[in-house]
Amino acid sequence: SMQTSGNKLCSCPSFKLREVASMYFTMITVFLVILVVALRGLAPHGSDFPYKVTLDPKGLLELSWNVSYPDEVVNFRLLIRDLKFGLLFGMSDRGEFEDADLAVLWSDGHNSYFGDAWSDAKGQLHMDSQQDYQLLGAQRAPEGLYLLFRRAFSTCDPKDYLIEDDTVHLIYGILEKPVHSLEAINISAIHRGLQRVQLLKPNITIPEMPSDMKIKEITVLNVVIPSQETTYWCSTTELPEGFPKHHIIMYEPVITPGNEALVHHMEVFQCAATFDSFPQYDGPCDSKMKPDQLNYCRHVLAAWAMGAQAFYYPKEAGLVFGGPGFSRYLRLEIHYHNPLVFKGRRDSSGIRLYYTATLRQHDAGIMELGLVYTPVMAIPPGEDAFNFTGYCTDKCTQLALPAGGIRIFASQLHTHLAGRKVVTVLARDGREQQVVNSDRHYSPHFQEIRMLKEVVAVFPGDELITTCLYNTEDRTNATVGGFGIREEMCVNYVHYYPQTQLELCKSAVDPGYLHRYFNLVNRFNDEEVCMCPQVSVPQQFSSVPWNTFNKDMLKSLYGFAPISVHCNKSSAVRFPVRTSSLPKLPKKTPSCR
């Protein structure tokens, strides 16, 4: 029988055959004992596994992997530095240990076993009847035990995680005592954690680097990482006066050795060009000592998150660096994640930019898609899956894009803490053409600029539709759109060439229709929302009694009301687009499953 898994068709054996296979696999795994042997010889070459991430804060588990697109498999190499009695490694929807797909190495004190397992909704482990984590070998080395195994992107097993292009929540657990069987492992009692990565990296061709390539390292200098779980550190730097126009053609992370598990993500921002001078600052981003001018450094030049490699611009384009109209002042922001609260750790991490004076054919641009930052877009409390959609309309692209169109080659999705899924689709003539970027396991704690597998061409008259899904189950008040971390955003920063004047192509519901919504709430709920002009929209939302009727009405409003379109040039001047027009939805609406 043919069974669909995601978009993949895979032929599954018939039921009887599966039963036999199931017994056979269980026999192999449980009775024949897959012994983990200490093989002689060297550890596998690092170059065979180009992607690497430390799983735990102590750095005891180091995962490397490579991707074979022809075979549709991921090959893993897991270095266990201090093996006790085994470990769990796997994937789950958002990093939970319930309903997880796991590879387990365990020891009863005499023999070691390896098997593919799954956990149920209560966190109880079960051996999988279909063994899809395939053990390739185990090798002892001075630094620890290397475990090599592989896993297909898509299996015919309903208990297995479907590996896609988006964020993957990897989970791990360390067994510190012997266990007599897989089922006897109590996952709530073990040392465990999660790490987010994008496993399926795009298989891009690395462009040739020019001979006149120069390097600028934008790093912090010997900072003492604060002894608290989360720190955002801000540091300013400047380019020399009269620095001429160059193109950034690649960048990569510079991580202080030993801090690989602490440096969570980093971004370099360019400051507004209006400042002639800029205060120097090196300290926590939330400090009262931080100069206000740093809030005007919002234009992303480079972004890196754990597990990401070097970022390459396509050979046709480079990002403008220096020259007229380019601010000399840059801000580096580093997110330190220090859950074990190490004290006195010093760090000099940052981002290394590679740039050239030999300009490429096109300047690359960055455009914001999605929703305008405005409190008129609000999410009621207690919602497990609330959708917002922002439109870059056909009228805006018709006015602002060149006749030959633009090419999107990378994308960075962005929401605040309630964001769970983000997808941008391209629509032409009212029909969905293709997905530009989608992350159905999106996490606000893992935002990297991702190179797209294939370049997306956008022409005048096309629409770019961005949908974000939010979860506010843990909140008691409405969450409004805005800049604060407890407020929400729905943005896709797309990287494209050739650069145009269009910096922002977004929408929000027409504010007049929100006024009508509050009037309706008052008619049905004893005039609870104050309609006087001095009361702000967030205050109005906070006084809405959030019953099912008011929630459903708000959802309907966002689904049908006319939108206000922002079609902005770099100078925040709008292209002349009529602000209210009913969104013309594609026949196939963007799905955010």
Side-chain angles (χ1 to χ4, degrees), residues 304-323:
W304 172 89
M306 265 185 179
Q309 295 299 103
F311 181 93
Y312 294 90
Y313 278 84
K315 62 180 188 302
E316 301 84 357
L319 189 66
V320 174
F321 190 49

PDB file of all heavy atoms in Angstrom, residues 304-323:
ATOM      1  N   TRP A 304      23.794  34.961  13.011  1.00  0.00           N
ATOM      2  CA  TRP A 304      24.243  33.571  13.149  1.00  0.00           C
ATOM      3  C   TRP A 304      23.538  32.953  14.357  1.00  0.00           C
ATOM      4  O   TRP A 304      23.302  33.632  15.358  1.00  0.00           O
ATOM      5  CB  TRP A 304      25.758  33.544  13.360  1.00  0.00           C
ATOM      6  CG  TRP A 304      26.278  32.176  13.709  1.00  0.00           C
ATOM      7  CD1 TRP A 304      26.690  31.207  12.845  1.00  0.00           C
ATOM      8  CD2 TRP A 304      26.412  31.611  15.032  1.00  0.00           C
ATOM      9  NE1 TRP A 304      27.060  30.077  13.538  1.00  0.00           N
ATOM     10  CE2 TRP A 304      26.899  30.302  14.879  1.00  0.00           C
ATOM     11  CE3 TRP A 304      26.145  32.092  16.317  1.00  0.00           C
ATOM     12  CZ2 TRP A 304      27.143  29.457  15.964  1.00  0.00           C
ATOM     13  CZ3 TRP A 304      26.383  31.255  17.404  1.00  0.00           C
ATOM     14  CH2 TRP A 304      26.891  29.947  17.229  1.00  0.00           C
ATOM     15  N   ALA A 305      23.167  31.672  14.240  1.00  0.00           N
ATOM     16  CA  ALA A 305      22.614  30.955  15.387  1.00  0.00           C
ATOM     17  C   ALA A 305      23.307  29.598  15.470  1.00  0.00           C
ATOM     18  O   ALA A 305      23.828  29.095  14.467  1.00  0.00           O
ATOM     19  CB  ALA A 305      21.112  30.773  15.227  1.00  0.00           C
ATOM     20  N   MET A 306      23.293  29.001  16.671  1.00  0.00           N
ATOM     21  CA  MET A 306      23.972  27.711  16.908  1.00  0.00           C
ATOM     22  C   MET A 306      23.712  26.701  15.798  1.00  0.00           C
ATOM     23  O   MET A 306      22.575  26.553  15.366  1.00  0.00           O
ATOM     24  CB  MET A 306      23.453  27.115  18.208  1.00  0.00           C
ATOM     25  CG  MET A 306      24.309  27.439  19.391  1.00  0.00           C
ATOM     26  SD  MET A 306      23.655  26.564  20.814  1.00  0.00           S
ATOM     27  CE  MET A 306      24.845  27.075  22.035  1.00  0.00           C
ATOM     28  N   GLY A 307      24.763  26.023  15.369  1.00  0.00           N
ATOM     29  CA  GLY A 307      24.590  24.988  14.350  1.00  0.00           C
ATOM     30  C   GLY A 307      24.716  25.518  12.935  1.00  0.00           C
ATOM     31  O   GLY A 307      24.823  24.755  11.990  1.00  0.00           O
ATOM     32  N   ALA A 308      24.690  26.874  12.776  1.00  0.00           N
ATOM     33  CA  ALA A 308      24.800  27.445  11.430  1.00  0.00           C
ATOM     34  C   ALA A 308      26.271  27.490  11.012  1.00  0.00           C
ATOM     35  O   ALA A 308      27.155  27.636  11.846  1.00  0.00           O
ATOM     36  CB  ALA A 308      24.194  28.836  11.403  1.00  0.00           C
ATOM     37  N   GLN A 309      26.485  27.401   9.722  1.00  0.00           N
ATOM     38  CA  GLN A 309      27.832  27.469   9.158  1.00  0.00           C
ATOM     39  C   GLN A 309      28.085  28.884   8.635  1.00  0.00           C
ATOM     40  O   GLN A 309      27.336  29.802   8.928  1.00  0.00           O
ATOM     41  CB  GLN A 309      27.952  26.469   7.995  1.00  0.00           C
ATOM     42  CG  GLN A 309      27.831  25.039   8.425  1.00  0.00           C
ATOM     43  CD  GLN A 309      28.921  24.654   9.405  1.00  0.00           C
ATOM     44  OE1 GLN A 309      28.668  24.560  10.595  1.00  0.00           O
ATOM     45  NE2 GLN A 309      30.120  24.451   8.931  1.00  0.00           N
ATOM     46  N   ALA A 310      29.089  28.990   7.770  1.00  0.00           N
ATOM     47  CA  ALA A 310      29.351  30.268   7.101  1.00  0.00           C
ATOM     48  C   ALA A 310      28.177  30.593   6.173  1.00  0.00           C
ATOM     49  O   ALA A 310      27.530  29.694   5.635  1.00  0.00           O
ATOM     50  CB  ALA A 310      30.633  30.160   6.294  1.00  0.00           C
ATOM     51  N   PHE A 311      27.905  31.898   6.007  1.00  0.00           N
ATOM     52  CA  PHE A 311      26.839  32.348   5.101  1.00  0.00           C
ATOM     53  C   PHE A 311      27.504  32.938   3.866  1.00  0.00           C
ATOM     54  O   PHE A 311      28.359  33.822   3.983  1.00  0.00           O
ATOM     55  CB  PHE A 311      25.986  33.415   5.806  1.00  0.00           C
ATOM     56  CG  PHE A 311      24.844  33.922   4.971  1.00  0.00           C
ATOM     57  CD1 PHE A 311      23.585  33.352   5.062  1.00  0.00           C
ATOM     58  CD2 PHE A 311      25.020  34.982   4.078  1.00  0.00           C
ATOM     59  CE1 PHE A 311      22.518  33.823   4.290  1.00  0.00           C
ATOM     60  CE2 PHE A 311      23.967  35.459   3.304  1.00  0.00           C
ATOM     61  CZ  PHE A 311      22.712  34.865   3.415  1.00  0.00           C
ATOM     62  N   TYR A 312      27.134  32.443   2.679  1.00  0.00           N
ATOM     63  CA  TYR A 312      27.719  32.930   1.424  1.00  0.00           C
ATOM     64  C   TYR A 312      26.672  33.685   0.614  1.00  0.00           C
ATOM     65  O   TYR A 312      25.546  33.203   0.457  1.00  0.00           O
ATOM     66  CB  TYR A 312      28.209  31.760   0.565  1.00  0.00           C
ATOM     67  CG  TYR A 312      29.365  31.010   1.167  1.00  0.00           C
ATOM     68  CD1 TYR A 312      29.144  29.916   2.009  1.00  0.00           C
ATOM     69  CD2 TYR A 312      30.674  31.401   0.926  1.00  0.00           C
ATOM     70  CE1 TYR A 312      30.210  29.223   2.579  1.00  0.00           C
ATOM     71  CE2 TYR A 312      31.749  30.718   1.485  1.00  0.00           C
ATOM     72  CZ  TYR A 312      31.507  29.627   2.312  1.00  0.00           C
ATOM     73  OH  TYR A 312      32.560  28.957   2.881  1.00  0.00           O
ATOM     74  N   TYR A 313      27.060  34.838   0.073  1.00  0.00           N
ATOM     75  CA  TYR A 313      26.182  35.530  -0.876  1.00  0.00           C
ATOM     76  C   TYR A 313      26.322  34.856  -2.232  1.00  0.00           C
ATOM     77  O   TYR A 313      27.399  34.353  -2.570  1.00  0.00           O
ATOM     78  CB  TYR A 313      26.569  37.016  -0.963  1.00  0.00           C
ATOM     79  CG  TYR A 313      25.958  37.788   0.178  1.00  0.00           C
ATOM     80  CD1 TYR A 313      26.585  37.839   1.419  1.00  0.00           C
ATOM     81  CD2 TYR A 313      24.719  38.397   0.044  1.00  0.00           C
ATOM     82  CE1 TYR A 313      25.999  38.485   2.497  1.00  0.00           C
ATOM     83  CE2 TYR A 313      24.121  39.043   1.103  1.00  0.00           C
ATOM     84  CZ  TYR A 313      24.763  39.085   2.325  1.00  0.00           C
ATOM     85  OH  TYR A 313      24.155  39.701   3.382  1.00  0.00           O
ATOM     86  N   PRO A 314      25.249  34.843  -3.048  1.00  0.00           N
ATOM     87  CA  PRO A 314      25.373  34.254  -4.387  1.00  0.00           C
ATOM     88  C   PRO A 314      26.377  35.056  -5.211  1.00  0.00           C
ATOM     89  O   PRO A 314      26.605  36.232  -4.935  1.00  0.00           O
ATOM     90  CB  PRO A 314      23.953  34.376  -4.960  1.00  0.00           C
ATOM     91  CG  PRO A 314      23.223  35.322  -4.089  1.00  0.00           C
ATOM     92  CD  PRO A 314      23.901  35.345  -2.763  1.00  0.00           C
ATOM     93  N   LYS A 315      26.977  34.404  -6.205  1.00  0.00           N
ATOM     94  CA  LYS A 315      28.086  35.045  -6.932  1.00  0.00           C
ATOM     95  C   LYS A 315      27.678  36.336  -7.651  1.00  0.00           C
ATOM     96  O   LYS A 315      28.503  37.172  -7.962  1.00  0.00           O
ATOM     97  CB  LYS A 315      28.747  34.068  -7.909  1.00  0.00           C
ATOM     98  CG  LYS A 315      27.841  33.554  -9.011  1.00  0.00           C
ATOM     99  CD  LYS A 315      28.612  32.586  -9.921  1.00  0.00           C
ATOM    100  CE  LYS A 315      27.841  32.173 -11.149  1.00  0.00           C
ATOM    101  NZ  LYS A 315      26.550  31.521 -10.854  1.00  0.00           N
ATOM    102  N   GLU A 316      26.361  36.528  -7.872  1.00  0.00           N
ATOM    103  CA  GLU A 316      25.911  37.729  -8.586  1.00  0.00           C
ATOM    104  C   GLU A 316      25.794  38.947  -7.664  1.00  0.00           C
ATOM    105  O   GLU A 316      25.573  40.052  -8.142  1.00  0.00           O
ATOM    106  CB  GLU A 316      24.511  37.516  -9.195  1.00  0.00           C
ATOM    107  CG  GLU A 316      24.377  36.378 -10.171  1.00  0.00           C
ATOM    108  CD  GLU A 316      24.137  35.022  -9.484  1.00  0.00           C
ATOM    109  OE1 GLU A 316      24.127  34.940  -8.239  1.00  0.00           O
ATOM    110  OE2 GLU A 316      23.972  34.043 -10.233  1.00  0.00           O
ATOM    111  N   ALA A 317      25.848  38.749  -6.343  1.00  0.00           N
ATOM    112  CA  ALA A 317      25.491  39.860  -5.444  1.00  0.00           C
ATOM    113  C   ALA A 317      26.358  39.914  -4.191  1.00  0.00           C
ATOM    114  O   ALA A 317      26.928  38.909  -3.770  1.00  0.00           O
ATOM    115  CB  ALA A 317      24.021  39.735  -5.041  1.00  0.00           C
ATOM    116  N   GLY A 318      26.420  41.133  -3.626  1.00  0.00           N
ATOM    117  CA  GLY A 318      27.106  41.323  -2.345  1.00  0.00           C
ATOM    118  C   GLY A 318      26.350  42.361  -1.545  1.00  0.00           C
ATOM    119  O   GLY A 318      25.585  43.167  -2.108  1.00  0.00           O
ATOM    120  N   LEU A 319      26.544  42.364  -0.223  1.00  0.00           N
ATOM    121  CA  LEU A 319      25.846  43.327   0.624  1.00  0.00           C
ATOM    122  C   LEU A 319      26.706  44.585   0.764  1.00  0.00           C
ATOM    123  O   LEU A 319      27.892  44.490   1.090  1.00  0.00           O
ATOM    124  CB  LEU A 319      25.601  42.707   2.007  1.00  0.00           C
ATOM    125  CG  LEU A 319      24.704  43.506   2.946  1.00  0.00           C
ATOM    126  CD1 LEU A 319      23.278  43.581   2.408  1.00  0.00           C
ATOM    127  CD2 LEU A 319      24.696  42.894   4.341  1.00  0.00           C
ATOM    128  N   VAL A 320      26.090  45.751   0.509  1.00  0.00           N
ATOM    129  CA  VAL A 320      26.840  47.010   0.553  1.00  0.00           C
ATOM    130  C   VAL A 320      27.443  47.223   1.944  1.00  0.00           C
ATOM    131  O   VAL A 320      26.767  47.058   2.967  1.00  0.00           O
ATOM    132  CB  VAL A 320      25.927  48.201   0.185  1.00  0.00           C
ATOM    133  CG1 VAL A 320      26.662  49.525   0.360  1.00  0.00           C
ATOM    134  CG2 VAL A 320      25.433  48.050  -1.241  1.00  0.00           C
ATOM    135  N   PHE A 321      28.724  47.581   1.955  1.00  0.00           N
ATOM    136  CA  PHE A 321      29.474  47.780   3.197  1.00  0.00           C
ATOM    137  C   PHE A 321      30.355  49.010   2.977  1.00  0.00           C
ATOM    138  O   PHE A 321      31.314  48.970   2.220  1.00  0.00           O
ATOM    139  CB  PHE A 321      30.325  46.523   3.446  1.00  0.00           C
ATOM    140  CG  PHE A 321      30.987  46.453   4.788  1.00  0.00           C
ATOM    141  CD1 PHE A 321      30.281  46.688   5.960  1.00  0.00           C
ATOM    142  CD2 PHE A 321      32.341  46.106   4.886  1.00  0.00           C
ATOM    143  CE1 PHE A 321      30.894  46.598   7.200  1.00  0.00           C
ATOM    144  CE2 PHE A 321      32.951  46.008   6.124  1.00  0.00           C
ATOM    145  CZ  PHE A 321      32.232  46.255   7.283  1.00  0.00           C
ATOM    146  N   GLY A 322      29.963  50.146   3.585  1.00  0.00           N
ATOM    147  CA  GLY A 322      30.729  51.378   3.405  1.00  0.00           C
ATOM    148  C   GLY A 322      30.202  52.201   2.234  1.00  0.00           C
ATOM    149  O   GLY A 322      29.246  51.822   1.561  1.00  0.00           O
ATOM    150  N   GLY A 323      30.840  53.359   2.042  1.00  0.00           N
ATOM    151  CA  GLY A 323      30.447  54.226   0.932  1.00  0.00           C
ATOM    152  C   GLY A 323      29.412  55.256   1.365  1.00  0.00           C
ATOM    153  O   GLY A 323      28.964  55.263   2.508  1.00  0.00           O
TER     154      GLY A 323
END
